[in-house]
Amino acid sequence: MQLFPWGFVHAYLFPPAFELSQMQQQVSDTSVVLQMDNNRNLDLNSIIAEVKAQYEDIANRSRTEAESWYQSKYEELQVSAGRHGDDLRSTKTEITELNRVIQRLRSEIDALKKQVKVGCNLLLNAQGRLY
């Protein structure tokens, strides 16, 4: 069984020993000069300043959002407290009015009790005179 059925692929991937030795000779005669541009002046101060500016921007936005949220909640609570205050005043007024009605009704009841008592006494006196 042949691993590489195409001859040219096999020849390209696995060149004959002669070609291989020629390539090795060429590679050994070749010198390579490698230069790296390591001129990356890392300006840490500017990086830190940029990160700090981004952080401050995020912090300012967060602070603004939080203040806005708290302000809206404060206003909602003020409206709610005002509404409850109005309800409380209304309830106090209603209670005062009901207390007046109760007092008036008690006075009327007392007056009626006196009238009943006087009527009963008159009735008893009239009965006593009849017998």
Side-chain angles (χ1 to χ4, degrees), residues 32-52:
V32 175
V33 177
L34 180 65
Q35 289 183 342
M36 288 182 54
D37 183 14
N38 217 4
N39 194 8
R40 289 185 266 160
N41 291 331
L42 289 178
D43 186 9
L44 292 180
N45 290 333
S46 67
I47 293 171
I48 291 171
E50 183 179 339
V51 169
K52 184 179 178 182

Side-chain angles (χ1 to χ4, degrees), residues 13-40:
L13 292 175
F14 303 104
F18 173 72
E19 290 179 16
L20 192 57
S21 68
Q22 275 187 330
M23 289 173 137
Q24 286 175 342
Q25 181 65 32
Q26 288 175 351
V27 170
S28 66
D29 291 342
T30 304
S31 63
V32 175
V33 177
L34 180 65
Q35 289 183 342
M36 288 182 54
D37 183 14
N38 217 4
N39 194 8
R40 289 185 266 160

